[in-house]
């Protein structure tokens, strides 16, 4: 039987010079194809090789520009008057990590940031000032420093500053949104409310009485789907819990005392895409190094300290105080130190890693 085989079948490919390969890549490019073997190692790295770098925003540097922005544009014209915290290695992409957006928002006494809704979930962490409120689903909540407030996906929300005589200074908060994730999925929708401020239909505090007193309604569905029904987690309660735990319970050698905020209906994170944490580094704390796949954004609430961040042999040290912000990217090794003690808020995309079964943490 006569079997005609191609000339190279069963043999090693003939040595090809790079010019021949380049010509080949050029030929297939016409047909929107490219060779996997040129990119395979970058596509499937042996460990996360994030393009993000650690970033630090000292409040003393940021504050004058926040105030200046207050003179340049009103909250109403801006819709949201925010200075975006961009990862220094991802400028122009409006993100602090590849999956998360962060910004510092300022509202002046008397201003309103008009009501709208979008599929992106948002968190607010109040940095300073009194007299502002956020409205979600017909209920307002006062924004006090250290409060963690959420805007569930597709709920109308607006912010305002009442400018009371006893609370007449600008209010600044950290915004965290899952914007890059929704962009990745091409699942972003948004619309404006017909009115600047949504009608208030419930007295302030009703949500926390209903869901935030370690009790739940006997009947009824989750009002915001996979998102927590609680939209304000006030700092006074968080602070007391961490303080008492620091004094009377075990201190974790890596984290100090660290708690996660919780959706009381599920036990999971407050939002499906973002986890939030508050941690206390006791006075004299010298932490052990750890790394995790979820890059995290930090807002310093109280005290002072420093964090050593190590990645691929390079060490970056941030020395932080109140209202400073910083980002520790994925798989960067972090080690905490605090002489006087410190309180840190943080958020990350951990729930998504966990939902996909790819979350990793390594504690040295
Ligand atoms: C938004 O709605 C807020 O509601 C803050 O305060 C930041 C960034 C991009 C898109 C929507 C807010 C935002 C945002």
């Amino acid at each position: 039987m006569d079997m005609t085989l191609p000339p190279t079948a069963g043999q090693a490919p003939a040595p090809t010079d790079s010019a021949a390969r380049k010509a080949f890549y050029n030929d297939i490019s016409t047909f929107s194809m490219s060779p996997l073997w040129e990119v395979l190692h970058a596509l499937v790295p042996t460990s996360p090789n994030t393009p993000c770098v650690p970033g630090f925003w000292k409040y003393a540097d940021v504050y004058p520009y926040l105030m200046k922005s207050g003179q340049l544009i009103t909250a109403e014209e801006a819709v949201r008057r925010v200075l975006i915290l961009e990862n220094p290695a991802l400028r122009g992409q409006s993100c602090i990590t590849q999956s998360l957006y962060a910004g510092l928002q300022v509202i002046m006494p008397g201003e309103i940031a008009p009501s709208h809704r979008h599929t992106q979930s948002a968190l607010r962490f109040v940095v300073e000032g009194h007299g502002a409120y956020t409205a979600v689903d017909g209920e307002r909540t006062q924004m006090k420093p250290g409060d963690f407030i959420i805007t569930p996906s597709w709920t109308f929300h607006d912010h305002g500053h009442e400018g009371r005589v006893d609370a007449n200074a600008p209010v600044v908060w950290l915004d965290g949104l899952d914007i890059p994730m929704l962009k990745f999925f091409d699942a972003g929708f948004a619309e404006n409310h017909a009115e600047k401020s949504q009608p208030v239909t419930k007295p302030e505090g009703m949500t926390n009485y209903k869901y935030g007193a370690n009790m739940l309604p006997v009947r009824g569905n989750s009002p915001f789907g996979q998102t927590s029904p609680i939209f304000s987690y006030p700092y006074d309660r968080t602070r007391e819990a961490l303080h008492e735990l620091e004094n009377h319970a075990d201190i974790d050698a890596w984290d100090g005392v660290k708690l996660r905020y919780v959706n009381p209906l599920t036990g999971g994170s407050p939002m499906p895409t973002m986890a939030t944490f508050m941690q206390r580094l006791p006075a004299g704390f010298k932490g052990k190094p750890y790394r995790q796949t979820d890059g995290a954004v930090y807002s310093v609430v109280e005290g002072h300290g420093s964090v050593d961040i190590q990645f691929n042999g390079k060490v970056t040290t941030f020395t932080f105080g109140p209202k400073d912000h910083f980002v520790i990217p994925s798989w960067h090794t972090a080690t905490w130190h605090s002489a006087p003690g410190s309180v840190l808020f943080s958020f990350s995309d951990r729930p998504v890693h966990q939902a996909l079964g790819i979350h990793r943490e390594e504690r040295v």
Side-chain angles (χ1 to χ4, degrees):
M1 202 200 266
D2 181 29
M3 277 193 14
T4 316
L5 291 173
T8 56
Q11 294 166 235
T16 316
D17 64 22
S18 66
R21 288 185 186 177
K22 277 220 178 80
F24 173 76
Y25 302 162
N26 213 35
D27 290 346
I28 65 172
S29 175
T30 314
F31 298 93
S32 301
M33 296 189 288
S34 63
L36 171 63
W37 58 89
E38 290 288 334
V39 293
L40 181 64
H41 298 294
L43 290 181
V44 187
T46 51
S47 67
N49 198 8
T50 176
C52 301
V53 294
F56 188 76
W57 293 266
K58 191 141 203 65
Y59 199 62
D61 295 334
V62 171
Y63 182 78
Y65 294 110
L66 284 173
M67 293 308 116
K68 215 169 194 174
S69 74
Q71 290 156 5
L72 281 177
I73 191 164
T74 63
E76 199 174 336
E77 190 193 345
V79 181
R80 297 294 185 261
R81 191 201 290 112
V82 180
L83 301 185
I84 303 173
L85 306 182
E86 291 194 326
N87 192 284
L90 301 175
R91 297 302 314 278
Q93 298 180 42
S94 305
C95 61
I96 193 157
T97 68
Q98 295 214 92
S99 61
L100 296 171
Y101 160 102
L104 288 169
Q105 180 160 175
V106 58
I107 191 158
M108 299 294 183
E111 285 190 324
I112 286 173
S115 195
H116 67 189
R117 64 177 175 177
H118 37 72
T119 47
Q120 291 84 357
S121 296
L123 68 87
R124 333 272 164 207
F125 185 72
V126 184
V127 174
E128 69 171 340
H130 294 266
Y133 65 84
T134 283
V136 170
D137 196 38
E139 185 177 332
R140 286 184 180 177
T141 188
Q142 293 296 314
M143 305 178 93
K144 301 182 300 311
D147 290 356
F148 158 55
I149 292 164
I150 65 182
T151 309
S153 173
W154 208 242
T155 51
F156 281 110
H157 55 284
D158 44 273
H159 319 296
H161 193 319
E162 289 162 323
R164 301 190 311 262
V165 276
D166 62 325
N168 210 17
V171 173
V172 176
W173 64 82
L174 171 71
D175 285 316
L177 288 92
D178 54 12
I179 290 172
M181 277 188 253
L182 271 76
K183 185 172 171 217
F184 176 81
F185 291 116
D186 285 329
F189 295 87
E191 66 185 26
N192 291 326
H193 198 282
E195 293 164 85
K196 236 182 349 180
S197 299
Q198 65 182 293
V200 176
T201 57
K202 293 170 225 171
E204 180 164 349
M206 279 310 120
T207 291
N208 272 358
Y209 293 126
K210 202 167 176 183
Y211 298 100
N214 291 328
M215 305 182 87
L216 292 172
V218 177
R219 293 185 187 82
N221 295 325
S222 167
F224 305 124
Q226 292 174 59
T227 300
S228 173
I230 296 176
F231 68 102
S232 174
Y233 296 75
Y235 185 50
D236 47 6
R237 294 177 62 182
T238 309
R239 186 176 199 280
E240 183 184 358
L242 288 169
H243 181 77
E244 293 302 321
L245 288 171
E246 177 187 325
N247 289 332
H248 305 294
D250 292 340
I251 306 296
D252 183 88
W254 292 267
D255 293 332
V257 180
K258 187 170 184 177
L259 297 177
R260 65 182 177 90
Y261 291 88
V262 71
N263 174 348
L265 293 176
T266 64
S269 56
M271 286 153 289
T273 47
M274 292 183 283
T276 46
F277 308 88
M278 192 76 96
Q279 98 192 76
R280 210 173 154 108
L281 308 177
F285 188 69
K286 290 191 178 77
K288 293 185 183 176
Y290 70 94
R291 55 184 173 174
Q292 48 203 18
T293 51
D294 51 323
V297 180
Y298 286 81
S299 181
V300 183
V301 190
E302 297 184 45
H304 294 265
S306 67
V307 57
D308 296 327
I309 304 171
Q310 193 249 314
F311 190 66
N312 286 344
K314 184 167 180 260
V315 181
T316 310
T317 299
F318 294 145
T319 301
F320 55 79
K323 303 171 197 164
D324 292 342
H325 293 83
F326 52 92
V327 56
I328 304 177
S330 169
W331 217 236
H332 283 51
T333 301
T335 313
W336 300 101
H337 305 271
S338 179
S342 182
V343 181
L344 305 165
F345 171 84
S346 59
F347 72 95
S348 81
D349 56 2
R350 186 175 304 183
V352 183
H353 294 234
Q354 290 172 327
L356 301 178
I358 55 166
H359 186 255
R360 276 205 210 188
E361 181 178 45
E362 193 174 88
R363 299 181 127 202
V364 183

